[in-house]
Amino acid sequence: MKSFNKYIAAALAGLALASCDDFLTVTPEDKFVQDNYYTSAEAIRDNTKVIYSATVWRDFMMNFHWKLDELVGDMYYTYAAEGQWYFGTYTDVNQYIKEGWNGLYNVISQCNSIIEDMPGYVSGVPQEDVDRAIAEARAIRAYCYWYIAECWHDAPIITHNSDNITNNNFNTPRNPQADIYRFALEDADFAVNTLPETDADAFRATVATARAIRARILLTMASHSDYGYDRADLYRRAAADALAVIDSRDNVKDIPFATLFDATTNNGPESLLAIQCGTLGYGTGNPKTIAWGRSSVIADGCWGSGKGPTISLQSMYDQLDQRRKWTYMANGDFYPNLNTAAGGYTYYIQSYEDGSVLESRNEMNSHIKKYILGRDADGNGTTSNNQDGSNNVYLVRLADMYLIYAEAIMGTANSTTDANALDKINSVRARAGLAGFTSLTYTDLLKERRREFAFESINWFDILRLRYREGDATALEFLNSGYGSGYNRSCMYVFKDWSMNEEAYANLESTYKIAASVDDGGMYDPIVLTASSFVIPLPASATTSAPALLGDIVPFYTSNTEK
């Protein structure tokens, strides 16, 4: 019997020579599988590990995933192709769009192999174990298709990669966003009904994972006022799923926020689905310490000195908010786990050594902390200097369920005083050391989500839901005004008096002003995103190799038949 993995690897190797840009050209990670390999549940579980690994998620995770933080206006960065996300000027040739598109379809291809191909090569294994593996893959595939539907709206639903390879069928049309939601929901339904409550491997999807993914899909669908959905029912179902997940875990108030993004808490009680990372070389781990780290003082070989929290994001945090310090670094913050050889690290807007600048300021007078592990020596070999930190990357975490529940209870209204909704959002705020809400508006909720999930590539989807609920104009006004803060993404700190001696005054916050325009001393006039930013363009490499993507959008479902 021929191993399906060997078959796909061989077919893809030949195809890659002829069409290396095709978005369906993927590299299966588990290439060596002997004939009749799937003769035990352990063998199946060994094979399904791959769909959680950073190696499979690499293209999506390394760059595209966090570009959405620039797009939403949380992360300041304006350089080259990365900066196009901050300005909203990316086009179909932006390299990171290609990486995101190919990356998500690569994960989907791995899931498809488990769902569609693997069962034909199983012998003597109970169907329950086979179904569990399929359910894991369908949960993750549901997440990927939800993500694709939000970023590109209309896109191909691919279910049989091996069939496509056999038939050389890669010129695939797009399916409508609503059909992608439906398909993802069907995957999530299967996973909820099939996965176990717990698993010996803490990283694996369980019923809580599947319900969390389904809650996101349902909440997104419920936000749409344009598809004729029964929105009240969708909100009700989203709330039920979120509550079931909440009730299955420790209260979020009892899970420390400060260590959530360290390797020591991988797959802990907050984690519902995460990309599994390790220090095994480029693409096998979390790249953020290197990509976001301020300087060589706290990160090996990094290039994050120009990145920082926007002034609008900084303005969202109360002085008492305990999340702030672990989200971004501000003047005077001390971190005992960074630069441990020197006894810890104190953040200064600009630091000096022997009269020379050791760490330069950036335009935000602040740098990112979330996901930053420190130098390799700080983590005893868990951070590495090859963009392969060992701290996992969250895709879904518990706090999201608390805020999804509050949003779902609010439903189509713009505010709520529901005690259960307030209890959930106030649990998140209690962990942050903040007083609770006595009533909650939709704007309050979006701002709370921004504070909780900054630099986690979630907040862009909140803006999209606002758009679905209230239209382009409302969403754009909210986005371009910095969540109503009045700080456009052009805002930056500049010296009030450029003649001052930097070494003497650089760390005095009173010496700066916020400039919002070139005339005021800034680098940019107000940066205004338009409605075109709400849908990411198809990558040119994909439309070149599959021109059908530019053709008519073809329904995946018919009135009589479900695929």
Side-chain angles (χ1 to χ4, degrees):
M1 181 183 294
K2 183 183 290 184
S3 161
F4 77 90
N5 284 293
K6 284 183 179 178
Y7 171 76
I8 292 178
L12 286 173
L15 178 65
L17 294 175
S19 181
C20 63
D21 287 335
D22 195 296
F23 75 98
L24 292 179
T25 301
V26 295
T27 304
E29 303 301 328
D30 183 11
K31 294 182 178 180
F32 184 75
V33 182
Q34 296 178 352
D35 293 347
N36 300 312
Y37 182 79
Y38 299 106
T39 57
S40 69
E42 290 73 21
I44 291 175
R45 285 171 69 81
D46 281 345
N47 191 47
T48 54
K49 284 180 181 178
V50 70
I51 58 178
Y52 302 94
S53 72
T55 307
V56 165
W57 289 88
R58 180 184 59 205
D59 286 348
F60 166 77
M61 174 189 67
M62 295 297 288
N63 286 293
F64 178 84
H65 187 223
W66 58 266
K67 294 297 181 288
L68 300 183
D69 289 318
E70 295 179 71
L71 185 57
V72 81
D74 285 356
M75 184 188 297
Y76 173 86
Y77 197 58
T78 61
Y79 179 73
E82 292 187 17
Q84 291 174 9
W85 293 81
Y86 194 71
F87 294 111
T89 58
Y90 50 74
T91 66
D92 61 358
V93 296
N94 185 284
Q95 67 199 70
Y96 304 113
I97 293 176
K98 174 184 175 181
E99 290 178 12
W101 176 270
N102 286 0
L104 285 166
Y105 275 107
N106 181 56
V107 179
I108 288 169
S109 77
Q110 306 297 333
C111 294
N112 287 345
S113 292
I114 293 168
I115 296 163
E116 302 294 342
D117 297 321
M118 182 194 68
Y121 297 94
V122 171
S123 176
V125 180
Q127 188 62 40
E128 178 183 0
D129 293 313
V130 177
D131 288 344
R132 178 182 294 193
I134 292 171
E136 287 182 74
R138 290 190 71 171
I140 291 176
R141 188 172 72 174
Y143 174 88
C144 289
Y145 272 123
W146 165 78
Y147 212 103
I148 286 170
E150 292 305 274
C151 289
W152 289 279
H153 285 211
D154 308 313
I157 298 174
I158 307 297
T159 61
H160 294 79
N161 292 80
S162 58
D163 285 352
N164 288 332
I165 294 168
T166 302
N167 299 317
N168 199 27
N169 178 24
F170 298 99
N171 197 20
T172 307
R174 288 174 294 159
N175 305 119
Q177 184 188 51
D179 282 11
I180 302 175
Y181 289 151
R182 178 175 168 183
F183 183 83
L185 192 56
E186 290 172 359
D187 269 353
D189 287 342
F190 180 88
V192 168
N193 293 327
T194 309
L195 286 170
E197 295 287 341
T198 61
D199 195 289
D201 293 331
F203 64 85
R204 289 186 184 273
T206 63
V207 65
T209 307
R211 294 197 79 155
I213 293 168
R214 189 169 69 178
R216 274 200 187 178
I217 298 168
L218 290 166
L219 187 76
T220 302
M221 295 172 67
S223 300
H224 275 276
S225 59
D226 52 351
Y227 284 154
Y229 293 140
D230 183 343
R231 298 174 68 193
D233 182 62
L234 291 169
Y235 277 125
R236 178 191 61 78
R237 292 162 60 191
D241 273 338
L243 184 60
V245 176
I246 291 167
D247 288 344
S248 73
R249 296 285 177 116
D250 295 343
N251 193 297
V252 74
K253 291 186 292 187
D254 301 322
I255 305 172
F257 186 89
T259 56
L260 277 184
F261 304 93
D262 297 341
T264 55
T265 55
N266 281 349
N267 304 314
E270 181 90 10
S271 182
L272 293 167
L273 179 64
I275 299 172
Q276 302 298 300
C277 296
T279 53
L280 301 173
Y282 178 83
T284 66
N286 188 335
K288 293 179 173 59
T289 291
I290 302 301
W292 297 355
R294 179 188 190 184
S295 76
S296 60
V297 176
I298 60 170
D300 297 303
C302 63
W303 52 84
S305 62
K307 299 182 177 76
T310 59
I311 292 174
S312 73
L313 176 62
Q314 294 180 46
S315 74
M316 293 285 107
Y317 289 89
D318 185 283
Q319 289 185 346
L320 299 176
D321 196 326
Q322 296 174 18
R323 293 170 297 195
R324 199 279 306 155
K325 177 180 176 181
W326 304 105
T327 301
Y328 66 86
M329 303 177 186
N331 208 31
D333 285 341
F334 176 72
Y335 300 94
N337 60 326
L338 301 179
N339 197 21
T340 53
Y345 176 75
T346 300
Y347 181 88
Y348 295 109
I349 295 174
Q350 188 153 284
S351 63
Y352 297 86
E353 186 175 73
D354 300 326
S356 61
V357 175
L358 179 64
E359 294 180 299
S360 298
R361 62 174 292 267
N362 62 17
E363 293 84 351
M364 301 297 107
N365 282 354
S366 182
H367 287 82
I368 298 169
K369 173 59 180 76
K370 189 176 281 189
Y371 279 121
I372 303 300
L373 287 179
R375 301 182 68 183
D376 200 34
D378 296 328
N380 295 318
T382 62
T383 62
S384 191
N385 60 3
N386 203 17
Q387 299 187 68
D388 57 343
S390 61
N391 50 337
N392 291 344
V393 177
Y394 291 105
L395 297 177
V396 188
R397 65 180 177 90
L398 184 60
D400 196 16
M401 296 301 105
Y402 282 73
L403 300 182
I404 281 177
Y405 179 82
E407 184 172 342
I409 292 297
M410 188 183 301
T412 58
N414 288 319
S415 64
T416 185
T417 56
D418 182 271
N420 293 319
L422 292 172
D423 174 71
K424 297 302 179 289
I425 194 168
N426 287 340
S427 292
V428 174
R429 288 179 61 81
R431 174 167 69 176
L434 300 175
F437 290 113
T438 56
S439 63
L440 181 68
T441 68
Y442 194 68
T443 299
D444 291 334
L445 178 69
L446 293 179
K447 290 180 178 180
E448 193 63 39
R449 290 186 61 87
R450 191 185 194 195
R451 289 184 282 265
E452 179 71 22
F453 300 116
F455 311 130
E456 296 182 54
S457 305
I458 291 179
N459 293 332
W460 177 243
F461 303 106
D462 302 341
I463 296 295
L464 294 180
R465 289 198 309 282
L466 175 62
R467 180 200 183 208
Y468 300 150
R469 287 169 61 104
E470 301 185 29
D472 287 350
T474 298
L476 286 170
E477 192 281 329
F478 192 66
L479 184 64
N480 290 324
S481 67
Y483 279 57
S485 67
Y487 295 115
N488 181 268
R489 62 182 66 201
S490 65
C491 290
M492 61 182 58
Y493 285 107
V494 299
F495 281 109
K496 294 177 181 177
D497 181 355
W498 287 95
S499 67
M500 291 187 300
N501 178 280
E502 280 198 40
E503 186 171 356
Y505 294 102
N507 291 306
L508 295 178
E509 297 174 37
S510 61
T511 65
Y512 297 95
K513 68 175 183 178
I514 296 174
S517 67
V518 173
D519 288 344
D520 198 26
M523 295 174 63
Y524 311 107
D525 287 323
I527 300 165
V528 179
L529 270 61
T530 65
S532 63
S533 298
F534 289 133
V535 184
I536 296 172
L538 300 172
S541 59
T543 57
T544 298
S545 60
L549 290 171
L550 296 175
D552 293 339
I553 298 169
V554 178
F556 185 79
Y557 297 97
T558 67
S559 57
N560 298 320
T561 304
E562 293 188 7
K563 296 187 179 181

